[in-house]
Amino acid sequence: MTSISESGVSDRETVARRLLDSSEQLSYDPVKEVDWETPLDTDYHGASPEWSTLYGTSYWADMTPEQQRELTRQEAASVASTGIWFEMILQQMVLRDFYAKDPTDPAFQWALTEIADECRHSIMFARGAAKLRAPAYRPRRFVVELGRVFKATATGEAAYAAILVAEEVLDVMQRDWMRDERVAPFVRTINNIHVVEESRHMKFAREETRERLRGAGWLRRQINGLVVAIASYFIVTSMVNGKVYENAGLDGKRARREAKANEHHKSMLRSSCSGLMEFLHSAGLLTKPSLWFYKRANLI
């Protein structure tokens, strides 16, 4: 059952109201906030170099500074494109979850607010990728079809915990990128907007995950823990499309081989997910079967 405070208001309702108030006070319009007019300055990176899939490899050492910057721009565009793909999944899951529910409920109103945010974010990411001179990167067809099934069937804690995984991993990356003066100014602005607004989305996802798990038994946690882990694996491994290397003018085969073995990048992913894994463990969703997928995705 939902816990009720002395005032008779549920914790869930209190959180939703706080998120609505925060959204009213601090939200952005990317059309106005982001500098879309200034031409791309190729002296800047698209992401912090340390987050590149090739950073720390022998190939990275062999690359010219121009090639390194182009690669991070292509990688940032790929992450943005994957973000759009998952934000569309997120919107459909949230809409389906709140279909025909009480519209006077603050949680219902927050859900619509979050969807409005995600629409703006997707357009912002799309324009950002285009300004980075990148093509439309998409996950593999198999992953796209898995996503189609997931968005149509995932409910409760499986949906919200998967949403949380995608948002948390991206959040840690973007917090680094938005502070890095080596990154193109318009990309830093995009990252700042996303970090500020996604912090509310993550709060809601955590609250909904806890709420849906109240009274859940061992078997349900085992099943949904595995579902979330599988979804997380495909989300994270789809962030950087293998085509970014050729589009950056590199030897694709060598780049993919060295990126796959890059322990530095694996370490960056693991460190970014420490708080997330603690939350999943506390929720009873970090099960033994799920660990295999998180380890394969280098999240733990």
Side-chain angles (χ1 to χ4, degrees):
M1 294 177 61
T2 303
S3 59
I4 306 294
S5 65
E6 293 181 1
S7 63
V9 178
S10 70
D11 292 342
R12 181 170 180 262
E13 184 176 342
T14 299
V15 169
R17 285 178 174 173
R18 287 174 179 169
L19 293 174
L20 285 167
D21 290 342
S22 175
S23 181
E24 289 178 5
Q25 296 168 15
L26 187 59
S27 289
Y28 297 95
D29 180 355
V31 173
K32 298 178 181 178
E33 298 288 341
V34 181
D35 179 6
W36 300 113
E37 301 304 320
T38 302
L40 175 67
D41 186 342
T42 56
D43 286 337
Y44 286 100
H45 284 274
S48 296
E50 292 78 10
W51 273 102
S52 173
T53 56
L54 287 181
Y55 185 87
T57 65
S58 60
Y59 204 170
W60 181 268
D62 291 342
M63 292 162 60
T64 66
E66 291 77 14
Q67 287 176 317
Q68 292 172 352
R69 291 194 295 269
E70 179 59 28
L71 176 60
T72 63
R73 290 195 293 268
Q74 293 296 320
E75 288 176 322
S78 178
V79 170
S81 295
T82 302
I84 294 169
W85 167 68
F86 191 75
E87 284 178 345
M88 295 186 74
I89 292 175
L90 180 160
Q91 292 173 58
Q92 293 177 72
M93 290 194 299
V94 173
L95 275 174
R96 183 161 48 79
D97 186 41
F98 280 89
Y99 174 72
K101 291 186 177 179
D102 180 3
T104 66
D105 179 1
F108 181 99
Q109 295 169 29
W110 167 254
L112 294 184
T113 301
E114 179 170 338
I115 290 167
D117 288 346
E118 298 295 7
C119 287
R120 292 197 307 275
H121 294 170
S122 292
I123 296 170
M124 176 176 72
F125 284 162
R127 293 186 67 178
K131 186 165 180 175
L132 287 169
R133 301 174 185 170
Y137 291 112
R138 296 184 182 89
R140 290 173 294 140
R141 179 61 182 270
F142 172 70
V143 178
V144 170
E145 296 308 318
L146 280 180
R148 195 184 304 279
V149 174
F150 183 71
K151 70 182 176 60
T153 59
T155 59
E157 63 272 16
Y160 286 101
I163 288 170
L164 183 63
V165 170
E167 291 176 338
E168 290 249 9
V169 174
L170 192 56
D171 180 73
V172 175
M173 290 182 186
Q174 292 187 319
R175 285 180 185 274
D176 286 347
W177 302 355
M178 74 183 194
R179 302 186 186 103
D180 194 336
E181 294 185 356
R182 297 169 296 176
V183 175
F186 82 95
V187 176
R188 295 176 64 193
T189 302
I190 288 172
N191 292 330
N192 183 68
I193 291 172
H194 198 248
V195 164
V196 170
E197 298 187 345
E198 286 295 326
S199 66
R200 295 188 286 260
H201 300 183
M202 290 188 290
K203 175 69 173 175
F204 186 66
R206 284 175 180 256
E207 188 64 27
E208 287 298 304
T209 300
R210 292 191 191 98
E211 178 66 26
R212 306 308 172 91
L213 280 169
R214 291 183 187 275
W218 178 86
L219 180 60
R220 177 172 157 187
R221 291 175 192 268
Q222 290 289 311
I223 293 171
N224 284 323
L226 184 58
V227 169
V228 172
I230 294 171
S232 302
Y233 171 82
F234 286 110
I235 292 166
V236 172
T237 57
S238 296
M239 281 191 170
V240 177
N241 191 297
K243 296 178 182 178
V244 299
Y245 306 113
E246 284 91 351
N247 291 335
L250 305 178
D251 177 342
K253 289 184 178 179
R254 179 186 175 188
R256 282 186 285 272
R257 182 177 65 252
E258 295 199 23
K260 186 177 181 180
N262 188 357
E263 292 301 325
H264 170 81
H265 188 67
K266 294 175 184 178
S267 176
M268 294 287 283
L269 284 173
R270 284 193 294 269
S271 64
S272 74
C273 291
S274 58
L276 170 64
M277 292 302 146
E278 288 178 10
F279 172 78
L280 293 176
H281 176 71
S282 69
L285 294 175
L286 194 59
T287 62
K288 285 186 178 180
S290 71
L291 286 174
W292 188 87
F293 287 95
Y294 290 125
K295 288 178 180 178
R296 289 278 293 176
N298 301 303
L299 300 183
I300 196 169

